[in-house]
PDB file of all heavy atoms in Angstrom:
ATOM      1  N   PRO A 225      98.660 -75.303 201.549  1.00  0.00           N
ATOM      2  CA  PRO A 225     100.069 -75.030 201.842  1.00  0.00           C
ATOM      3  C   PRO A 225     100.739 -76.261 202.466  1.00  0.00           C
ATOM      4  O   PRO A 225     100.070 -77.239 202.815  1.00  0.00           O
ATOM      5  CB  PRO A 225      99.976 -73.874 202.851  1.00  0.00           C
ATOM      6  CG  PRO A 225      98.692 -74.029 203.503  1.00  0.00           C
ATOM      7  CD  PRO A 225      97.759 -74.586 202.458  1.00  0.00           C
ATOM      8  N   LYS A 226     102.082 -76.231 202.618  1.00  0.00           N
ATOM      9  CA  LYS A 226     102.777 -77.368 203.190  1.00  0.00           C
ATOM     10  C   LYS A 226     102.362 -77.670 204.601  1.00  0.00           C
ATOM     11  O   LYS A 226     102.344 -78.834 205.036  1.00  0.00           O
ATOM     12  CB  LYS A 226     104.300 -77.116 203.137  1.00  0.00           C
ATOM     13  CG  LYS A 226     104.900 -77.168 201.757  1.00  0.00           C
ATOM     14  CD  LYS A 226     106.387 -76.963 201.774  1.00  0.00           C
ATOM     15  CE  LYS A 226     106.973 -77.044 200.364  1.00  0.00           C
ATOM     16  NZ  LYS A 226     108.479 -76.927 200.369  1.00  0.00           N
ATOM     17  N   THR A 227     102.022 -76.642 205.366  1.00  0.00           N
ATOM     18  CA  THR A 227     101.554 -76.842 206.753  1.00  0.00           C
ATOM     19  C   THR A 227     100.108 -76.209 206.823  1.00  0.00           C
ATOM     20  O   THR A 227      99.950 -75.127 207.368  1.00  0.00           O
ATOM     21  CB  THR A 227     102.472 -76.207 207.766  1.00  0.00           C
ATOM     22  OG1 THR A 227     102.651 -74.803 207.429  1.00  0.00           O
ATOM     23  CG2 THR A 227     103.826 -76.910 207.759  1.00  0.00           C
ATOM     24  N   PRO A 228      99.108 -76.914 206.326  1.00  0.00           N
ATOM     25  CA  PRO A 228      97.747 -76.344 206.283  1.00  0.00           C
ATOM     26  C   PRO A 228      97.112 -76.325 207.683  1.00  0.00           C
ATOM     27  O   PRO A 228      97.482 -77.065 208.589  1.00  0.00           O
ATOM     28  CB  PRO A 228      97.009 -77.311 205.367  1.00  0.00           C
ATOM     29  CG  PRO A 228      97.716 -78.613 205.532  1.00  0.00           C
ATOM     30  CD  PRO A 228      99.138 -78.248 205.723  1.00  0.00           C
ATOM     31  N   LYS A 229      96.186 -75.417 207.827  1.00  0.00           N
ATOM     32  CA  LYS A 229      95.350 -75.406 209.025  1.00  0.00           C
ATOM     33  C   LYS A 229      94.284 -76.498 208.859  1.00  0.00           C
ATOM     34  O   LYS A 229      94.075 -77.014 207.754  1.00  0.00           O
ATOM     35  CB  LYS A 229      94.690 -74.044 209.207  1.00  0.00           C
ATOM     36  CG  LYS A 229      95.659 -72.867 209.264  1.00  0.00           C
ATOM     37  CD  LYS A 229      96.590 -72.978 210.448  1.00  0.00           C
ATOM     38  CE  LYS A 229      97.579 -71.822 210.500  1.00  0.00           C
ATOM     39  NZ  LYS A 229      98.519 -71.931 211.622  1.00  0.00           N
ATOM     40  N   TRP A 230      93.656 -76.852 209.933  1.00  0.00           N
ATOM     41  CA  TRP A 230      92.623 -77.904 209.828  1.00  0.00           C
ATOM     42  C   TRP A 230      91.511 -77.661 210.869  1.00  0.00           C
ATOM     43  O   TRP A 230      91.635 -76.909 211.824  1.00  0.00           O
ATOM     44  CB  TRP A 230      93.218 -79.277 210.053  1.00  0.00           C
ATOM     45  CG  TRP A 230      94.009 -79.427 211.318  1.00  0.00           C
ATOM     46  CD1 TRP A 230      95.308 -79.152 211.514  1.00  0.00           C
ATOM     47  CD2 TRP A 230      93.489 -79.858 212.581  1.00  0.00           C
ATOM     48  NE1 TRP A 230      95.658 -79.424 212.844  1.00  0.00           N
ATOM     49  CE2 TRP A 230      94.539 -79.855 213.501  1.00  0.00           C
ATOM     50  CE3 TRP A 230      92.201 -80.261 213.033  1.00  0.00           C
ATOM     51  CZ2 TRP A 230      94.396 -80.248 214.833  1.00  0.00           C
ATOM     52  CZ3 TRP A 230      92.037 -80.647 214.324  1.00  0.00           C
ATOM     53  CH2 TRP A 230      93.164 -80.624 215.248  1.00  0.00           C
ATOM     54  N   SER A 231      90.376 -78.312 210.528  1.00  0.00           N
ATOM     55  CA  SER A 231      89.217 -78.248 211.452  1.00  0.00           C
ATOM     56  C   SER A 231      88.532 -79.600 211.421  1.00  0.00           C
ATOM     57  O   SER A 231      88.658 -80.292 210.381  1.00  0.00           O
ATOM     58  CB  SER A 231      88.242 -77.137 210.998  1.00  0.00           C
ATOM     59  OG  SER A 231      87.157 -77.068 211.872  1.00  0.00           O
ATOM     60  N   ILE A 232      87.874 -79.997 212.480  1.00  0.00           N
ATOM     61  CA  ILE A 232      87.145 -81.270 212.456  1.00  0.00           C
ATOM     62  C   ILE A 232      85.648 -80.967 212.225  1.00  0.00           C
ATOM     63  O   ILE A 232      85.028 -80.201 213.003  1.00  0.00           O
ATOM     64  CB  ILE A 232      87.343 -82.012 213.776  1.00  0.00           C
ATOM     65  CG1 ILE A 232      88.818 -82.404 213.929  1.00  0.00           C
ATOM     66  CG2 ILE A 232      86.461 -83.304 213.811  1.00  0.00           C
ATOM     67  CD1 ILE A 232      89.150 -83.101 215.209  1.00  0.00           C
ATOM     68  N   VAL A 233      85.097 -81.504 211.181  1.00  0.00           N
ATOM     69  CA  VAL A 233      83.725 -81.237 210.751  1.00  0.00           C
ATOM     70  C   VAL A 233      82.980 -82.566 210.780  1.00  0.00           C
ATOM     71  O   VAL A 233      83.286 -83.472 209.981  1.00  0.00           O
ATOM     72  CB  VAL A 233      83.661 -80.614 209.365  1.00  0.00           C
ATOM     73  CG1 VAL A 233      82.248 -80.292 209.033  1.00  0.00           C
ATOM     74  CG2 VAL A 233      84.485 -79.330 209.299  1.00  0.00           C
ATOM     75  N   GLU A 234      82.033 -82.698 211.666  1.00  0.00           N
ATOM     76  CA  GLU A 234      81.254 -83.959 211.786  1.00  0.00           C
ATOM     77  C   GLU A 234      82.172 -85.150 211.906  1.00  0.00           C
ATOM     78  O   GLU A 234      81.980 -86.185 211.222  1.00  0.00           O
ATOM     79  CB  GLU A 234      80.275 -84.096 210.679  1.00  0.00           C
ATOM     80  CG  GLU A 234      79.228 -82.976 210.648  1.00  0.00           C
ATOM     81  CD  GLU A 234      78.211 -83.102 209.562  1.00  0.00           C
ATOM     82  OE1 GLU A 234      78.234 -84.138 208.864  1.00  0.00           O
ATOM     83  OE2 GLU A 234      77.400 -82.190 209.371  1.00  0.00           O
ATOM     84  N   GLY A 235      83.258 -85.028 212.672  1.00  0.00           N
ATOM     85  CA  GLY A 235      84.167 -86.132 212.898  1.00  0.00           C
ATOM     86  C   GLY A 235      85.248 -86.256 211.869  1.00  0.00           C
ATOM     87  O   GLY A 235      86.133 -87.130 211.985  1.00  0.00           O
ATOM     88  N   GLN A 236      85.224 -85.437 210.815  1.00  0.00           N
ATOM     89  CA  GLN A 236      86.168 -85.568 209.726  1.00  0.00           C
ATOM     90  C   GLN A 236      87.160 -84.389 209.731  1.00  0.00           C
ATOM     91  O   GLN A 236      86.755 -83.252 209.834  1.00  0.00           O
ATOM     92  CB  GLN A 236      85.411 -85.607 208.389  1.00  0.00           C
ATOM     93  CG  GLN A 236      86.330 -85.654 207.152  1.00  0.00           C
ATOM     94  CD  GLN A 236      85.555 -85.735 205.858  1.00  0.00           C
ATOM     95  OE1 GLN A 236      84.335 -85.808 205.859  1.00  0.00           O
ATOM     96  NE2 GLN A 236      86.251 -85.714 204.757  1.00  0.00           N
ATOM     97  N   VAL A 237      88.441 -84.708 209.601  1.00  0.00           N
ATOM     98  CA  VAL A 237      89.436 -83.694 209.467  1.00  0.00           C
ATOM     99  C   VAL A 237      89.358 -83.032 208.078  1.00  0.00           C
ATOM    100  O   VAL A 237      89.356 -83.716 207.086  1.00  0.00           O
ATOM    101  CB  VAL A 237      90.867 -84.233 209.669  1.00  0.00           C
ATOM    102  CG1 VAL A 237      91.921 -83.153 209.383  1.00  0.00           C
ATOM    103  CG2 VAL A 237      91.047 -84.740 211.091  1.00  0.00           C
ATOM    104  N   VAL A 238      89.227 -81.719 208.063  1.00  0.00           N
ATOM    105  CA  VAL A 238      89.197 -80.968 206.814  1.00  0.00           C
ATOM    106  C   VAL A 238      90.288 -79.936 206.853  1.00  0.00           C
ATOM    107  O   VAL A 238      90.394 -79.161 207.829  1.00  0.00           O
ATOM    108  CB  VAL A 238      87.828 -80.245 206.588  1.00  0.00           C
ATOM    109  CG1 VAL A 238      87.848 -79.446 205.313  1.00  0.00           C
ATOM    110  CG2 VAL A 238      86.685 -81.281 206.553  1.00  0.00           C
ATOM    111  N   TYR A 239      91.180 -79.959 205.885  1.00  0.00           N
ATOM    112  CA  TYR A 239      92.299 -79.006 205.808  1.00  0.00           C
ATOM    113  C   TYR A 239      91.905 -77.791 205.022  1.00  0.00           C
ATOM    114  O   TYR A 239      91.177 -77.854 204.016  1.00  0.00           O
ATOM    115  CB  TYR A 239      93.502 -79.724 205.139  1.00  0.00           C
ATOM    116  CG  TYR A 239      94.099 -80.796 206.062  1.00  0.00           C
ATOM    117  CD1 TYR A 239      93.721 -82.110 205.901  1.00  0.00           C
ATOM    118  CD2 TYR A 239      95.038 -80.463 207.006  1.00  0.00           C
ATOM    119  CE1 TYR A 239      94.253 -83.115 206.741  1.00  0.00           C
ATOM    120  CE2 TYR A 239      95.589 -81.454 207.822  1.00  0.00           C
ATOM    121  CZ  TYR A 239      95.149 -82.763 207.698  1.00  0.00           C
ATOM    122  OH  TYR A 239      95.689 -83.731 208.520  1.00  0.00           O
ATOM    123  N   VAL A 240      92.422 -76.660 205.464  1.00  0.00           N
ATOM    124  CA  VAL A 240      92.161 -75.351 204.801  1.00  0.00           C
ATOM    125  C   VAL A 240      93.465 -74.568 204.675  1.00  0.00           C
ATOM    126  O   VAL A 240      94.483 -74.931 205.294  1.00  0.00           O
ATOM    127  CB  VAL A 240      91.133 -74.513 205.580  1.00  0.00           C
ATOM    128  CG1 VAL A 240      89.744 -75.158 205.564  1.00  0.00           C
ATOM    129  CG2 VAL A 240      91.577 -74.288 207.046  1.00  0.00           C
ATOM    130  N   CYS A 241      93.405 -73.522 203.865  1.00  0.00           N
ATOM    131  CA  CYS A 241      94.607 -72.761 203.596  1.00  0.00           C
ATOM    132  C   CYS A 241      94.904 -71.691 204.678  1.00  0.00           C
ATOM    133  O   CYS A 241      96.087 -71.249 204.824  1.00  0.00           O
ATOM    134  CB  CYS A 241      94.494 -72.124 202.233  1.00  0.00           C
ATOM    135  SG  CYS A 241      93.103 -70.986 202.052  1.00  0.00           S
TER     136      CYS A 241
END
Side-chain angles (χ1 to χ4, degrees):
K226 289 184 179 180
T227 55
K229 305 297 180 182
W230 55 271
S231 182
I232 297 176
V233 183
E234 296 181 8
Q236 178 178 356
V237 174
V238 178
Y239 290 94
V240 293
C241 59

